[in-house]
Amino acid sequence: MKKLLLMAAVVLSCLYACRKNDGASPDSGNPPVTTPVLPDPQDPGAMTKAVKVAHGKLVKGEYPTGSGASAPMLKEDEYLAVPSVAGGQYIIVPLITHTAAAVKGAYVKIAGADSYFEIDFSAPYNARKSGQPYLSASGNATGVVADSAICIRLPEQIKPALLTIEFAARYKDDKISNKVVAGFNIIK
């Protein structure tokens, strides 16, 4: 009989030791498991803080206005497509003008945000030559600036939704192009 009681005690202690611990017990010393809050592309303030813009400096305030007809204009119809991009990937936006123009920088902001990024293309990066316009042989990419594009890195974890950005180019003579709006479908 003593053997049977001893075996029952051992089995019960083993079962007790193997019980499931979800970390929510206040006396266990483990903090409760929380789910991280994912940045929402529909929240301009959160997205502005979550994205990284290559060569970009965050500026609080009003987005610069265009210089009008005296500045080279971006081709708005080149940005009508809504490409899909996953979290952790890059959004690359080439600056396509109606005529070849030397680009000095760009402005980009998440639509609806109270701040924007000022991008400086004049700083060399991996020995590139900034702002060198070229004309394609096919004529389709007339006015594309070979090495100057807006490059936005999305956070690894992000809610799927439509992300809308506004951008403009700044030229060598500090004239600012027209503002263009483009959308990107964020997917998992």
Side-chain angles (χ1 to χ4, degrees), residues 89-142:
Q89 293 185 336
Y90 291 87
I91 294 174
I92 308 294
V93 182
L95 300 174
I96 304 169
T97 59
H98 287 282
T99 59
V103 177
K104 180 179 178 181
Y107 301 105
V108 64
K109 84 174 204 173
I110 308 298
D114 62 353
S115 52
Y116 63 93
F117 292 94
E118 182 176 345
I119 303 169
D120 181 14
F121 293 137
S122 64
Y125 182 72
N126 292 338
R128 70 184 178 89
K129 294 179 182 176
S130 178
Q132 302 300 314
Y134 73 93
L135 303 176
S136 71
S138 67
N140 292 336
T142 301

Side-chain angles (χ1 to χ4, degrees), residues 141-179:
T142 301
V144 174
V145 178
D147 63 342
S148 299
I150 297 168
C151 183
I152 303 169
R153 184 162 197 274
L154 296 173
E156 291 288 331
Q157 301 294 322
I158 186 171
K159 287 183 180 179
L162 179 68
L163 173 67
T164 306
I165 65 168
E166 301 171 359
F167 59 93
R170 187 177 78 244
Y171 298 99
K172 293 287 184 188
D173 57 2
D174 286 329
K175 290 186 179 180
I176 301 170
S177 75
N178 54 320
K179 178 171 64 173

